[in-house]
Amino acid sequence: MSRRWMGIVVAFVALSAGALGLPKVAAAQDAVAEWSEPTSPDSPERFALELRFGPYTPDTQDTAFDKVFGGSSLLIAGEFDVAPFRIADVLTLGIGGGIGYVSYSGVASTLDGTTTSEKTSLTLAPMNVLAVVRVIALPRLLSIPLVFTGKLGLDLVYWSSSTGSAQQGEGVSPGLRWAVQGALELDFFEPRAARALDDEWGINHSFLFFELYGSSAGGSSLPVGTPLGWATGLGFNF
Amino acid sequence: MLRVVPNMARHVSTALAVLSGSLALLTFASVGHAQLTVTVNAVQDRDVSTRPLTSPYLFSKVECDGAKELDLTIAGIPTGSSVLDFWSGTGCDQVEPRTSTTSSACTYLFSLTSFSTPSAQFWGGEVTVPDLGGCTTTADNTSVNIYILAATSEHTSETITSFAQLATAFDVVAPAPPTGVTGGSGSSAVPVSWTGTTGTVNGYRVYVGSVTSSAEGGACSAGGLVAGEAPPASATLAATASGTAGSVNLNLATLGLAIGDSVSVGVVARDTALNEGVLSNLSCVTRVETCGYLCQRGGTISTCSAVPGARRAGGAVGAALAGLMLVGLGMRVRRSRSVR
């Protein structure tokens, strides 16, 4: 992980924690006691929304990508999950759909390799449909605010490449996608605010997460998947 | 008491006389002044879509130098008026500034003596932009207040029957050229960039000279452009940039360059009156065959025929996700409130 991305992650976590009252360390003892009780025992958690970002470098199986674009770029994505099945306070099972965007820009060259002034770009828009399993036993039964999630499904990545003002090609690369996620529920830090959020907006829990994922998107089209990538972000259960 | 009453009556009648006189004067003043209305209908050769005719009317160096004609309508001219005097300055509806031999607050411009009442249209050269007196200014964007006075005798009249004001501004100073113009090589989107100039600049125009073909060695010649001078008529306007933008992309193919051809490029600044300055330093752009990412990658890639469908599907997925999220949140909020 490069220092730049580490900086982004640290800044994001700090901002999120600050917004949720993390600095109020003095109230932590009380908070633990309050959080131990279910926020709303009768409140089902049917939906989840995740907003994530992270560096993304497609495994294009060539040397041109690094030469032209120089490496990763920021992938911004969103995912919405519906979890109709639930085993008490142990896990939820459902499906989710996500969409994201990432773009790369570099300098085009001539056929003999001389650098020109013109830009060339590659844009990716991954879309996926996933089966989602969330293990909620730790926070619900043991008061440990960690949720682990597994995802598996189909990835469909729209890609487009242009040089100057001319589009050079576009296509859709299908593949499989997997992900594992560890999430820290933020209710722990400010239970009153979490309860108010539930009362006013129906949001049961908010969480910070870190996700590892992989995609085999490619097929006969441009390989734009990645064997291993990561993202971090903010999520909500409601 | 009896002696007082006649005096009181006399005083009252005197007061009434003064009052009625004052009212008469006030009535004259209100009726006699500020009744003219003046409308600028058109300025010769002006494209009103880029420079609308709104007050204050802004005139450019080109309109001054070319003595462009104005199309004016003046309405509300009192019957019996024999002259419409044009003055510039401050307070020119008053007698003193016009007649003063020591003050230069008001300057006489010209008179119109042939017109109909109560409304007249002046066009066909009766009034030109330089007639309004602002073309001799040397400052950038100078405001000039024009008074149009209706009177019964030309220029020397001390009393006027009606007047109107026309707010104008003259921008006869072209902006300085931008600096540091750089070109490059490419094909369909070659960047040309520059450092902007200061002043009332509202855009830039990028000109190219005549093409130097690759058969001539491809080296860039000036192609008719000269830095520090106005673009020649032979120059081609290749692109425009609005506001303070400092770069444009040129499509060299549409400018007629073949692979290997070069052309000189220069940039001029334009101000809000659309005065064009002189050319900046000249740079060179060359058309080359570019090889982007897919070209450098090589190989055969299936560009799926389902792309348009995938685009639509992507949009639909995004919209569906957003919709589901809102529905879910709405259901949850409603449920939360009903529980409370």
Side-chain angles (χ1 to χ4, degrees):
Chain A
M1 185 188 306
S2 70
R3 185 171 294 177
R4 183 164 63 106
W5 289 113
M6 280 296 290
I8 290 173
V9 171
V10 169
F12 177 76
V13 171
L15 279 173
S16 304
L20 287 158
L22 185 58
K24 299 175 182 177
V25 177
Q29 291 295 332
D30 293 341
V32 170
E34 289 188 31
W35 185 82
S36 299
E37 295 176 6
T39 305
S40 178
D42 298 324
S43 173
E45 298 171 19
R46 289 202 181 95
F47 307 103
L49 172 69
E50 295 177 0
L51 305 171
R52 69 167 64 84
F53 62 87
Y56 189 75
T57 308
D59 180 14
T60 53
Q61 298 166 20
D62 59 50
T63 57
F65 185 87
D66 279 344
K67 181 184 164 194
V68 174
F69 301 121
S72 64
S73 194
L74 184 68
L75 171 68
I76 299 170
E79 180 182 316
F80 182 76
D81 300 342
V82 181
F85 308 109
R86 181 186 180 102
I87 301 177
D89 285 338
V90 179
L91 60 82
T92 64
L93 181 64
I95 60 168
I99 190 165
Y101 175 86
V102 60
S103 185
Y104 307 87
S105 181
V107 178
S109 61
T110 60
L111 292 172
D112 63 7
T114 307
T115 301
T116 72
S117 309
E118 211 156 66
K119 300 284 186 187
T120 182
S121 68
L122 175 67
T123 299
L124 306 179
M127 295 167 277
N128 38 69
V129 179
L130 304 162
V132 181
V133 179
R134 289 185 194 276
V135 180
I136 57 173
L138 287 177
R140 304 296 172 267
L141 302 177
L142 302 174
S143 299
I144 299 170
L146 294 174
V147 174
F148 292 97
T149 303
K151 304 173 186 178
L152 184 66
L154 295 173
D155 211 5
L156 204 62
V157 181
Y158 166 76
W159 61 267
S160 170
S161 182
S162 63
T163 301
S165 62
Q167 188 178 56
Q168 304 293 297
E170 63 177 344
V172 178
S173 301
L176 288 174
R177 182 184 178 90
W178 63 267
V180 291
Q181 181 190 95
L184 173 67
E185 287 198 340
L186 298 170
D187 311 24
F188 172 80
F189 299 109
E190 193 63 80
R192 286 193 184 89
R195 195 162 295 160
L197 201 61
D198 191 6
D199 289 343
E200 293 299 321
W201 290 94
I203 294 173
N204 301 75
H205 310 287
S206 53
F207 54 92
L208 285 176
F209 65 86
F210 181 83
E211 186 172 291
L212 293 173
Y213 63 90
S215 168
S216 63
S220 62
S221 188
L222 184 67
V224 288
T226 181
L228 183 63
W230 66 268
T232 187
L234 186 62
F236 305 94
N237 291 121
F238 53 97
Chain B
M1 188 69 177
L2 286 174
R3 280 184 301 170
V4 172
V5 171
N7 288 340
M8 182 178 288
R10 192 169 66 243
H11 291 316
V12 167
S13 68
T14 304
L16 286 174
V18 169
L19 187 60
S20 64
S22 302
L23 282 174
L25 281 174
L26 284 172
T27 304
F28 173 79
S30 62
V31 169
H33 288 83
Q35 279 196 327
L36 291 184
T37 57
V38 57
T39 306
V40 179
N41 304 311
V43 179
Q44 184 185 359
D45 296 336
R46 178 182 291 198
D47 178 3
V48 292
S49 65
T50 54
R51 291 184 58 211
L53 287 168
T54 54
S55 182
Y57 299 96
L58 180 62
F59 300 106
S60 69
K61 185 173 190 302
V62 168
E63 289 167 341
C64 281
D65 293 348
K68 299 299 181 184
E69 297 168 5
L70 290 173
D71 181 342
L72 297 177
T73 298
I74 299 174
I77 306 169
T79 304
S81 299
S82 60
V83 64
L84 291 169
D85 283 348
F86 281 65
W87 294 71
S88 68
T90 306
C92 302
D93 56 317
Q94 303 299 312
V95 173
E96 196 277 333
R98 300 200 309 272
T99 55
S100 172
T101 55
T102 57
S103 167
S104 59
C106 286
T107 303
Y108 170 74
L109 298 174
F110 64 98
S111 297
L112 296 170
T113 55
S114 176
F115 53 85
S116 57
T117 59
S119 178
Q121 185 175 6
F122 303 94
W123 58 286
E126 288 179 279
V127 183
T128 65
V129 173
D131 290 340
L132 300 180
C135 291
T136 55
T137 60
T138 55
D140 193 17
N141 213 349
T142 305
S143 295
V144 177
N145 199 23
I146 307 291
Y147 283 81
I148 299 153
L149 312 176
T152 52
S153 62
E154 186 174 351
H155 182 33
T156 54
S157 62
E158 293 189 355
T159 57
I160 60 173
T161 54
S162 189
F163 80 97
Q165 290 188 64
L166 182 67
T168 67
F170 290 78
D171 190 344
V172 296
V173 181
T179 57
V181 173
T182 57
S185 60
S187 185
S188 61
V190 180
V192 173
S193 60
W194 59 88
T195 302
T197 187
T198 55
T200 55
V201 175
N202 83 332
Y204 295 91
R205 291 162 77 84
V206 180
Y207 287 92
V208 296
S210 54
V211 175
T212 306
S213 72
S214 55
E216 298 170 285
C220 209
S221 67
L225 304 184
V226 180
E229 294 186 6
S234 61
T236 301
L237 176 63
T240 60
S242 59
T244 57
S247 70
V248 294
N249 287 331
L250 297 185
N251 188 330
L252 300 188
T254 59
L255 286 173
L257 275 73
I259 299 295
D261 289 352
S262 297
V263 70
S264 273
V265 59
V267 183
V268 300
R270 289 219 303 191
D271 61 19
T272 49
L274 304 191
N275 293 312
E276 280 195 24
V278 295
L279 281 166
S280 63
N281 66 295
L282 303 182
S283 187
C284 187
V285 290
T286 303
R287 186 177 176 201
V288 296
E289 192 168 358
T290 51
C291 184
Y293 167 62
L294 290 182
C295 164
Q296 293 184 49
R297 182 181 189 278
T300 304
I301 299 166
S302 164
T303 50
C304 183
S305 60
V307 163
R311 275 202 204 131
R312 283 194 293 273
V317 166
L321 289 179
L324 274 173
M325 185 189 72
L326 290 174
V327 168
L329 193 58
M331 286 168 54
R332 187 65 186 83
V333 168
R334 196 170 57 182
R335 189 187 171 283
S336 291
R337 288 182 176 162
S338 65
V339 165
R340 276 191 293 165

